[in-house]
Amino acid sequence: MAKIALIGAGSVAFSTKLIQDLCATKSLYGSTITLMDINKERLYTIYDFAERYSKQTKADFHFKLTTVRKEALQNANFVISTVKIGGYKPMETEREIAERHGYYRGIGDRICDYYGGIGAYHQLKFFLELAKDMEVLCPDAWLIETANPVFEGVNLITRETKIKSIGVCHGHFRYKDILEVLRLNPKDIEVQMAGFNHCIWMTHLLYKGQDTYPILDNWIKNEANEYWKSEKFLEGKPWDIEQLSPGAVNTYHIFGLFPIGDTVRSASPWWHHTTLNIKQKWYGPTGGFDSEIGWSTYLKTHDEKLDKLRGLVKDRSASLTKEFPPVMSGEQHIPILNAIENDKETILQLNVPNNGSIFGIPDDVIVEIPVVVSGRGIQGIHIGKLPKRLMLYVLVPRMRRMEQILQAFLERDMNGLLLMLMEDPRTKSLEQAKNLLEELLAQPWNSEVANHYKW
Amino acid sequence: MAKIALIGAGSVAFSTKLIQDLCATKSLYGSTITLMDINKERLYTIYDFAERYSKQTKADFHFKLTTVRKEALQNANFVISTVKIGGYKPMETEREIAERHGYYRGIGDRICDYYGGIGAYHQLKFFLELAKDMEVLCPDAWLIETANPVFEGVNLITRETKIKSIGVCHGHFRYKDILEVLRLNPKDIEVQMAGFNHCIWMTHLLYKGQDTYPILDNWIKNEANEYWKSEKFLEGKPWDIEQLSPGAVNTYHIFGLFPIGDTVRSASPWWHHTTLNIKQKWYGPTGGFDSEIGWSTYLKTHDEKLDKLRGLVKDRSASLTKEFPPVMSGEQHIPILNAIENDKETILQLNVPNNGSIFGIPDDVIVEIPVVVSGRGIQGIHIGKLPKRLMLYVLVPRMRRMEQILQAFLERDMNGLLLMLMEDPRTKSLEQAKNLLEELLAQPWNSEVANHYKW
């Protein structure tokens, strides 16, 4: 019977899934779940949902609610954090500013996840505050960190505090898109992926125990062109078709392993993303998830879903189990809790310290790899060597960018912010980068950031 | 009494200095020096010089000569290599080609020393062949490697063969230019530099035991502007004034330690080098050593010196000791030999495996650091942590470029050559880089290179 704190519980879309998963996990019944958010209206909404859904599924939990973080953390065994400080709006404005300075689609969105070097500030600061509170109030608890930037965040927490932190993402499940297009039954398939969050690569694809990369290669050679002309591809939502887009295939051919999930947009080469036309060539008619078309489609879909969900949750007469059937949602958070709390050995895809798993990555750097989760804790599965070209041109630079973001943040180094921009392939001159930096830091929501960093 | 092989002895400018140093080192008298070159005319010239200079200085050596490398290596204790395959001419043509494709001043000259990724091929191949011959003919000999690229070369040799290799450069002596301008007596000064070859940084500057960086800072604040308007600066040869140029000072301010010697041109930020005008702003009226003005000045001076030297060496009636006084030239090669052979503890600045000296660099990567040379061999002096910003924006990327060059070379990877170009800040599109690569590989002297690398 665990004590679980859900920080940022007002993120309705995410919290409903967690409650669904909890209620589908009998071995956690009897646990106490403290829902915490600073937004009271949202907090009451999700609390109400939790109580009703729990009753409708005959689950047995003690739900509490609070607006005070420290109250939620007191004696917790597990802390799940989903907080995005400030929401999406500032990010959108920063992107517009960056475009005016010659940075098509903004800075940081592709190179160092979509919060970038400047935008990462609020998140990193929050991560540290949360983990430092935990050191006092629940020093042995696990911090399950699912807010971005996961890569930078989990590295920061594990280096700067004593808290055990695990990064969780669901992007790796996109390998299933490959199986669907190749008409392979997931039950006969064994897939392995490794790398960093939003930068994972398919090391193995086995069908009934046989290497199935050749089947994928054959599809690329003989069927891909037809697929790229099909309605499924041309009309599909960008996030549904990116996994087998020409850009993903080209990235595979350049680096030697297939990119999976967010990797397709985060770790494909910069020359796939210089204009909308070029993005469309590589990522289909919308230009992919990150293009002006793709991203606004995403935001619209996201808002519609959210509105629908909120309406449902607020409608006290609705059958919640109809929309949220009492089966596991696919998210990994509750399976982690269950595996640790009840010593139920489970293999999951998580972000944990490397400790020798991927050759050539320091032990303390966080990698996204398959791990065994159990009462013993979390144990990485050994991956070994990745292709040298992939290491040198993708993983090592991505790791260095993480180090740059943390160095600038921890040393309050304005020069670091500028030097990161100077490494952007779109930067033509020192003035261009300086002007952008200046304008970004002049935005009202960045006044604290402007004060934090010093020349 | 050592057995020394001098490979590429026909490099007159270099070999005369070595012979001068040998003759000034009594404790090596009695040794055998085998001069080897494939150019017979040059070989006889330097042999003749050696015999005469040795006689005039009353030194005692056995000079031999051969055009067969394996003969020179047989049972050698020390092998000194200065070979530059193909000379400067192809490099100049490659630079012109690159400029036509939008790469002002060519590729690789600044980012990965002036032989670059493609041009490094002939040198790396030669280094490996030489070291592999040594494994058979003189497996315990030291290979003193002074031809560029020293950084890539010594890493390659120490990883791929069993030969003990040391990289030697003289660029670090440029710290003396700082002392001269600051009017500090070198006798009271203790300087330490560390990094990679052509990428070394002044970690300490002590005057009578006191930290003297503040004096340098004061000079920058109060006197630098005047110095930059002085005749000494405005009329000086680029290589004589670069050490205290505005570009060097700016590089110091950006990265936190003063760059020394070739570092000023190799590791200063790319935005110092985009046009001649900008180069002139940072590196004085010539635009620095690497500009079209600076480099042609260098080549002209170099040729004149060489002609004069060759004339002198060929003139059998000339007093050689007048031009080459029997004192140490300042080069480090013969002091290395003497320290090892006669167990004479000497502190030198050499390129050796890191083995924990600089924090954050793998043990097997070659660093340029102060070392103690003696009968025990070569022992690095511990440096410790360098500023994090310097590591993240200069040393780690420079190390990665070395790894990229070796990966491409060893895996025969054409993609690697292209991906290196795609990381160049001047590359605007895939086509631009591909076209350049294609044209470079189509040059007659690159036919073997074109065959070596595969898509």
Side-chain angles (χ1 to χ4, degrees), chain B residues 3-4 11 32 38 81 103 115 136 152 182 227 292-293 302 319 325 341 350 356 371 373 403 414 417 438 441 443:
Chain B
K3 201 167 174 303
I4 302 161
S11 310
T32 301
I38 52 171
S81 162
Y103 297 82
Y115 297 96
V136 177
E152 278 75 13
L182 297 188
Y227 170 71
E292 47 269 59
I293 302 172
H302 181 81
S319 161
E341 185 68 14
L350 298 175
V371 298
V373 191
E403 297 287 1
M414 189 74 89
L417 295 187
E438 206 172 285
L441 292 175
Q443 301 309 308

Side-chain angles (χ1 to χ4, degrees), chain B residues 222-271:
Chain B
N222 301 316
E223 300 182 49
N225 273 315
E226 207 150 314
Y227 170 71
W228 293 328
K229 287 177 210 150
S230 72
E231 196 181 327
K232 183 182 168 60
F233 182 77
L234 294 172
E235 304 290 330
K237 297 278 188 201
W239 45 93
D240 287 329
I241 61 150
E242 264 183 5
Q243 186 56 71
L244 275 176
S245 60
V249 168
N250 185 247
T251 302
Y252 160 46
H253 284 159
I254 293 175
F255 298 123
L257 291 180
F258 217 90
I260 300 295
D262 303 272
T263 313
V264 174
R265 60 204 183 95
S266 297
S268 46
W270 64 262
W271 56 93

Side-chain angles (χ1 to χ4, degrees), chain A residues 35 70 73 178 184 186 281 308 334 407:
Chain A
L35 307 168
K70 290 188 182 181
L73 298 180
I178 299 179
L184 296 168
K281 176 186 155 195
K308 196 183 149 200
I334 304 307
Q407 178 270 334

Side-chain angles (χ1 to χ4, degrees), chain A residues 88-104:
Chain A
Y88 276 111
K89 204 127 195 210
M91 216 172 86
E92 289 301 306
T93 311
E94 289 186 6
R95 194 194 299 264
E96 283 162 28
I97 294 171
E99 292 212 332
R100 271 194 278 107
H101 288 269
Y103 297 83
Y104 171 61

